[in-house]
Amino acid sequence: MEQLQTELHKATTLLDRPKLQAEYQAQNEFLVVENFLPQTILEQLLALLPSLQPVINRNYIPNHKKGGSISKFSLDNLAPAFGELYRLPALTEFLKQITAEELLFCPDSDPHAYALYYYTELGDHIQYHYDTSYYQGKRYTVLLGLVDRSTSKLEYQLYRDIPNRETQTRSRALTPGTLVLFNGDKLYHRVTPLGNNEERIVLTLEYVTDTRMSTLNRFVSNMKDAIAYFGFRQVFRSS
């Protein structure tokens, strides 16, 4: 963990944080930073992926989602470096400065605190959605590109929630090492369908401003994660 902290700290000190913070606010709490992850950290994470193949949970919801996922629980057991990255002070301090929020880690019982998304079969995708916060506070999503040998894109709509402002639809590839940060309740987004013989793997990290969640919302959140992402065995083993 100390090595990860040192390398990421060096990388983030080179970034123009005031400029990035202004861009984040101007885009209604949305930011993209290309080449955010140092190559050494990226290579360390990529080296872990082959060992994770057996625990990928494939899911398909007609007219909404098709793909694979690996939960926090599996990552903790098989590849703890992902959890170490999630908690790195160099990362959380950067995110706190950009969002101007006192970001908190999700509870250990949240299978979506950090997870991997796999788009590896023809047509893998997810339709337009918000990353709705079931917590009492805000939820912030971080996406980190790991593998992108695909024509699939992150497509998103800026300012959709602002009355009297024109919605802007944009898209971009999530190239390896790229960071995307956004307020989950503000960014309407999707992943366009994967082409034939393509592959796209993304690490998602979730931070919140309040770790409290009602019993009803916890049940709804767990059911969503069980059906659409990780499977019932993974999600409800720790509830």
Side-chain angles (χ1 to χ4, degrees):
M1 180 173 179
E2 185 175 341
Q3 181 185 3
L4 293 177
Q5 167 67 15
T6 299
E7 293 175 357
L8 193 58
H9 176 72
K10 288 180 180 178
T12 55
T13 55
L14 299 176
L15 298 173
D16 187 342
R17 296 194 187 192
K19 179 181 178 181
L20 293 176
Q21 186 178 34
E23 183 178 347
Y24 170 81
Q25 293 296 338
Q27 295 185 131
N28 194 28
E29 297 192 65
F30 173 83
L31 179 69
V32 177
V33 183
E34 294 184 349
N35 302 311
F36 177 83
L37 281 182
Q39 189 64 27
T40 51
I41 295 180
L42 179 60
E43 290 175 357
Q44 181 177 341
L45 299 179
L46 292 177
L48 297 170
L49 297 182
S51 66
L52 297 172
Q53 287 287 334
V55 297
I56 298 172
N57 183 71
R58 292 285 308 177
N59 42 76
Y60 174 57
I61 302 176
N63 300 316
H64 178 63
K65 183 181 186 295
K66 178 175 176 285
S69 310
I70 299 179
S71 75
K72 166 191 181 293
F73 305 142
S74 291
L75 294 178
D76 286 346
N77 289 333
L78 300 172
F82 289 100
E84 293 176 5
L85 175 63
Y86 173 72
R87 298 181 180 88
L88 280 186
L91 176 59
T92 56
E93 289 167 8
F94 170 80
L95 298 175
K96 288 177 182 180
Q97 182 172 355
I98 298 301
T99 61
E101 295 280 1
E102 186 55 40
L103 301 181
L104 305 172
F105 302 128
C106 294
D108 287 339
S109 59
D110 190 334
H112 227 130
Y114 41 95
L116 289 174
Y117 295 156
Y118 283 75
Y119 302 83
T120 54
E121 297 183 4
L122 179 65
D124 280 358
H125 71 287
I126 185 167
Q127 292 287 13
Y128 268 113
H129 66 286
Y130 291 101
D131 286 0
T132 303
S133 177
Y134 293 97
Y135 290 93
Q136 292 191 23
K138 301 174 185 177
R139 168 185 170 177
Y140 289 87
T141 296
V142 173
L143 302 176
L144 289 167
L146 298 181
V147 176
D148 186 26
R149 294 185 286 269
S150 77
T151 54
S152 185
K153 298 290 190 295
L154 172 67
E155 187 174 283
Y156 53 94
Q157 297 185 355
L158 297 180
Y159 318 119
R160 188 174 187 268
D161 64 321
I162 299 179
N164 303 319
R165 180 158 187 178
E166 182 181 0
T167 298
Q168 297 183 16
T169 300
R170 303 177 186 177
S171 68
R172 64 179 308 124
L174 217 63
T175 54
T178 293
L179 174 142
V180 176
L181 165 66
F182 58 90
N183 182 326
D185 285 316
K186 289 192 173 186
L187 190 75
Y188 199 52
H189 62 287
R190 70 167 182 155
V191 176
T192 61
L194 199 75
N196 196 30
N197 297 317
E198 296 183 345
E199 182 180 29
R200 181 180 187 270
I201 304 174
V202 174
L203 173 65
T204 179
L205 312 174
E206 179 183 333
Y207 300 89
V208 295
T209 59
D210 190 328
T211 59
R212 293 174 296 172
M213 185 184 293
S214 70
T215 301
L216 176 59
N217 278 359
R218 171 52 67 191
F219 175 76
V220 173
S221 178
N222 281 341
M223 288 297 292
K224 180 263 297 180
D225 283 342
I227 295 171
Y229 291 96
F230 311 123
F232 283 87
R233 182 176 298 180
Q234 274 289 306
V235 172
F236 287 98
R237 72 173 191 173
S238 295
S239 298

